[in-house]
Amino acid sequence: MANAYQSMEDMARDLRAGKLSAQELAERAQTAYEATEPTLNAYKAWNGATAVKQAQAIDTLISTGLDLGPLMGLPVSVKDLYGVTGMPVFAGSDQALPEAYSHSGPVVQTITQQLGVITGKTHTVEFAFGGLGVNAHWGTPRNPW
């Protein structure tokens, strides 16, 4: 069973050993999101229901011995600067960028090729300009650490 402080490496090992399931990880991410998002304001978009469905399918693949890489079955959040096919990109602005920016680039393609489970897209400062984490369009996220 995973805990909040377990490393991704340990989670990946436990997935492959059958001590943990991708579905369990996705459901835990969903539960954490629901419990903390009103306070943390971390996500521009959440993809939890789809993530759970993907995780269920990945569990089946893992049970056959398939291993597509270290991210397989692990929940991953992507900053809203990156395109994820099927999800809009705002890049911290108040309007979605044109459709062309929504296609997955090399970073997201690596995650999806390894069957990492993209749970959502996190907020960013507008167009990634600035280091304070403040954005007039969506407010300031709270870092729980």
Side-chain angles (χ1 to χ4, degrees), residues 27-53:
E27 288 171 348
R28 285 178 179 218
Q30 178 70 30
T31 299
Y33 170 83
E34 290 168 358
T36 62
E37 184 57 16
T39 302
L40 299 182
N41 191 34
Y43 285 88
K44 175 64 179 167
W46 181 251
N47 200 28
T50 299
V52 170
K53 289 178 187 174

Side-chain angles (χ1 to χ4, degrees), residues 113-125:
Q113 286 168 355
Q114 292 185 26
L115 296 183
V117 179
I118 297 178
T119 56
K121 297 183 79 181
T122 59
H123 283 296
T124 185
V125 295

Side-chain angles (χ1 to χ4, degrees), residues 1-2 13-21 24:
M1 175 177 272
R13 184 193 64 241
D14 287 352
L15 274 170
R16 283 146 183 85
K19 296 178 184 176
L20 183 63
S21 72
E24 179 184 356

Side-chain angles (χ1 to χ4, degrees), residues 33-104:
Y33 170 83
E34 290 168 358
T36 62
E37 184 57 16
T39 302
L40 299 182
N41 191 34
Y43 285 88
K44 175 64 179 167
W46 181 251
N47 200 28
T50 299
V52 170
K53 289 178 187 174
Q54 289 173 342
Q56 291 169 339
I58 291 166
D59 282 332
T60 300
L61 295 173
I62 290 172
S63 73
T64 69
L66 184 68
D67 190 341
L68 295 179
L71 296 176
M72 186 171 179
L74 297 181
V76 179
S77 296
V78 177
K79 188 167 279 293
D80 188 37
L81 287 171
Y82 294 99
V84 175
T85 301
M87 296 181 81
V89 176
F90 284 81
S93 69
D94 62 347
Q95 296 181 28
L97 300 183
E99 179 74 25
Y101 291 93
S102 294
H103 299 290
S104 299

